[in-house]
Amino acid sequence: MLDQGAPPQSPSHPATPSPGLGARLMRRKPVERLVAEGGQGEGGTLRRSLGLWQLTMISIGATLGTGIFVVLGEAVPKAGPAVTLSFVIAGLTALFSALSYAELAGTIPVSGSSYSYAYATMGELIAWICGWCLVLEYGVSVAAVAVGWGEYLNELLDGTIGVTIPAALSAPPGDGGIFNLPALIVVLLAMAFLLGGARESARANTIMVCVKIAALLLFCLIGIQGFRSGNYANFMPLGMAGVSAAGATLFFSYIGFDAASTAGEEAKNAQRDLPRAIMLSLVIVTALYVVVAAVAVGAKPWKRFNDSEAALAQIMKDVTGQTFWGTLLAACAVIAIASVVLTVLYGQTRILFAMSRDGLVPKVFSRVHPRTGTPRANTVIVSAFCGVLAAAIPLGQLADATSIGTLFAFALVNIAVVVLRRTRPHMSRTFRVPLSPVLPALGFALCVWMMGSLSTVTWVVFGVWMAVGLMFYFLYGYRRSRLSAAEPTAPAVTVEK
């Protein structure tokens, strides 16, 4: 019988203290474990079939066209002719973050992009916040680009058969319509390609990217004929505040460069090719954006940009006085913008795949079809979500919401580079950010500055989005995290009688 007055005996096994709330929220996933789990899903594995060319095309496909074909008409009224400067500022902001992405993609070549980088460096809660921002970045941008696709489809139909889709079925509520049917259609078409497999989708994307580059070069050749230097007379009519506001909106145009990082588990040589693909795509895209924007503003007075999502096709018509060239550009844009939808939708599914594998979102998102090697259920669910958003919400609100989610995620990536350099200085890195931590710090500062240029409404939407995300994490992900399941539990204390 136990002597109540005697001091308690030492347990036969020392108790392992259970980690507190703070420790559980800051638990990190080892880099080695992240890499070892690469490609593994529920019931199958992703297939490594993508080389440098395909990865670069994925990044260009996800980036090129969004700002030029879709958002330019909204950005010019904010900055005037200085919209070219806005593109440069947005591009520099993207460049600093791209350097950080390139280093982390070569060090941690997995599908989760910045979500996985944050998990390895700053802990689970920050990783969740980053992942939730990526859902906003990728998922909502798919919807935003799909809205612009519908505008160019109408231009094409009008120029070929003289018929357009009625406004009630080609615009969302708030923009004079009831339901944006074309936006839903292009998302479903992208879904069909993705269900066929990553390699097949990459081939289709490469063809579409070539078409869009040819279309933009054609625009420059024709648009330059209508160039008027007087259109640049009042270069910055709305001041630096206007340039900054347009730059924040146009940053939406650069989000695709990180799409290659979401293909880390389907790349043949991820550590070598991912950094190269990220940097190549950003350089090519920025050069084309600046040139096309300069020609567009030179060919059309900035006050006549009236928030049209089909601005380039209208400029072609105005310069030539013929509908043929505008119709041809609209046809190319229909193909080009579809590639953005395809590649960004691909990135969204792979990020959710990584989060699901970690237990933070339901397992259905990491189930892999054994025949195609793709997360089929994930693709269908994400496509349905993005299709409904595209059909029901106006473009401007979608673009700004995407920008703030992107900027927040990029800011975290810049921090992650510095943290990983300090915690794991001897890790093998196929690419290193020069002048670290100076350039990552500049990237972080630029992201914060551009976030501050967004409207109050956008910040309110972002705050609500984050609140919903944190609620989901604490109700679901916090308890179901695979890292939580792997933590040692305190053994029962036994007392000798």
Side-chain angles (χ1 to χ4, degrees):
M1 185 173 180
L2 182 63
D3 183 358
Q4 299 293 333
Q9 301 292 319
S10 297
S12 57
H13 299 283
T16 302
S18 178
L21 176 62
R24 288 167 65 90
L25 294 178
M26 297 302 293
R27 55 197 171 201
R28 300 176 185 179
K29 188 171 183 180
V31 174
E32 292 78 10
R33 181 173 172 180
L34 278 166
V35 176
E37 291 179 352
Q40 298 177 18
E42 294 287 329
T45 58
L46 301 178
R47 296 174 182 173
R48 293 193 177 274
S49 58
L50 305 177
L52 176 61
W53 173 252
Q54 290 90 348
L55 293 171
T56 304
M57 290 299 103
I58 286 174
S59 283
I60 295 177
T63 311
L64 184 60
T66 311
I68 287 296
F69 285 111
V70 180
V71 186
L72 182 65
E74 294 199 358
V76 172
K78 295 180 181 179
V83 71
T84 52
L85 182 58
S86 299
F87 268 114
V88 173
I89 292 173
L92 285 175
T93 304
L95 174 62
F96 288 123
S97 296
L99 292 170
S100 295
Y101 261 101
E103 177 169 327
L104 292 173
T107 309
I108 313 173
V110 294
S111 289
S113 187
S114 52
Y115 155 77
S116 295
Y117 310 152
Y119 213 162
T121 57
M122 290 176 281
E124 185 172 285
L125 179 61
I126 302 299
W128 168 263
I129 291 173
C130 188
W132 194 242
C133 286
L134 290 175
V135 172
L136 184 65
E137 172 189 343
Y138 279 85
V140 178
S141 70
V142 168
V145 178
V147 172
W149 185 83
E151 292 288 331
Y152 275 99
L153 179 62
N154 261 340
E155 288 282 337
L156 176 60
L157 293 175
D158 184 40
T160 52
I161 60 176
V163 175
T164 60
I165 301 172
L169 295 178
S170 61
D175 273 4
I178 299 174
F179 191 80
N180 194 330
L181 182 61
L184 176 61
I185 289 174
V186 72
V187 174
L188 295 180
L189 288 173
M191 179 188 74
F193 276 110
L194 291 176
L195 291 176
R199 182 170 59 182
E200 291 74 12
S201 301
R203 287 174 179 169
N205 173 67
T206 298
I207 295 172
M208 290 188 282
V209 168
C210 292
V211 169
K212 79 168 75 177
I213 292 176
L216 291 175
L217 292 176
L218 174 65
F219 170 81
C220 291
L221 289 173
I222 294 179
I224 198 71
Q225 299 175 30
F227 191 91
R228 301 290 182 272
S229 59
N231 290 338
Y232 280 92
N234 188 9
F235 183 70
M236 201 180 295
L238 302 175
M240 197 61 199
V243 174
S244 175
T249 297
L250 289 172
F251 192 80
F252 168 78
S253 313
Y254 288 90
I255 69 167
F257 77 79
D258 61 325
S261 68
T262 67
E265 296 172 25
E266 290 162 285
K268 295 176 182 177
N269 191 340
Q271 288 186 304
R272 183 196 67 187
D273 293 341
L274 288 180
R276 295 178 181 181
I278 290 171
M279 298 309 300
L280 274 173
S281 62
L282 184 62
V283 169
I284 293 170
V285 165
T286 302
L288 280 169
Y289 275 166
V290 172
V291 171
V292 173
V295 172
V297 175
K300 184 175 183 177
W302 71 273
K303 290 183 179 180
R304 291 177 54 197
F305 282 80
N306 54 357
D307 290 353
S308 169
E309 285 84 20
L312 297 190
Q314 292 180 357
I315 290 173
M316 295 275 274
K317 288 182 181 179
D318 293 341
V319 169
T320 62
Q322 302 175 8
T323 60
F324 170 77
W325 294 109
T327 302
L328 179 61
L329 185 73
C332 293
V334 166
I335 298 171
I337 297 174
S339 77
V340 180
V341 176
L342 174 66
T343 49
V344 176
L345 191 64
Y346 166 85
Q348 175 67 96
T349 60
R350 271 40 179 190
I351 289 165
L352 285 172
F353 176 87
M355 296 176 73
S356 174
R357 186 172 56 205
D358 291 332
L360 301 185
V361 297
K363 289 183 178 180
V364 65
F365 290 100
S366 58
R367 289 178 187 164
V368 177
H369 193 272
R371 182 175 62 83
T372 62
T374 60
R376 278 196 164 188
N378 179 345
T379 302
V380 172
I381 294 170
V382 171
S383 300
F385 172 75
C386 294
V388 171
L389 279 182
I393 301 179
L395 171 65
Q397 296 176 19
L398 290 170
D400 284 348
T402 303
S403 292
I404 196 168
T406 305
L407 288 163
F408 192 89
F410 285 8
L412 292 179
V413 168
N414 284 294
I415 296 174
V417 166
V418 178
V419 172
L420 196 61
R421 285 277 191 100
R422 292 183 178 275
T423 57
R424 301 292 298 275
H426 303 298
M427 283 191 67
S428 174
R429 291 169 168 83
T430 55
F431 177 87
R432 299 178 71 92
V433 178
L435 301 177
S436 179
V438 176
L439 292 188
L442 284 174
F444 174 82
L446 282 170
C447 288
V448 172
W449 174 60
M450 295 193 76
M451 288 176 71
S453 300
L454 293 169
S455 67
T456 302
V457 173
T458 302
W459 274 98
V460 170
V461 171
F462 182 66
V464 172
W465 177 261
M466 294 309 301
V468 172
L470 289 172
M471 186 182 304
F472 184 91
Y473 170 72
F474 283 108
L475 292 177
Y476 185 92
Y478 176 76
R479 293 177 174 82
R480 295 176 181 264
S481 165
R482 289 186 61 189
L483 277 190
S484 176
E487 287 174 347
T489 56
V493 177
T494 58
V495 180
E496 296 180 0
K497 293 185 180 180

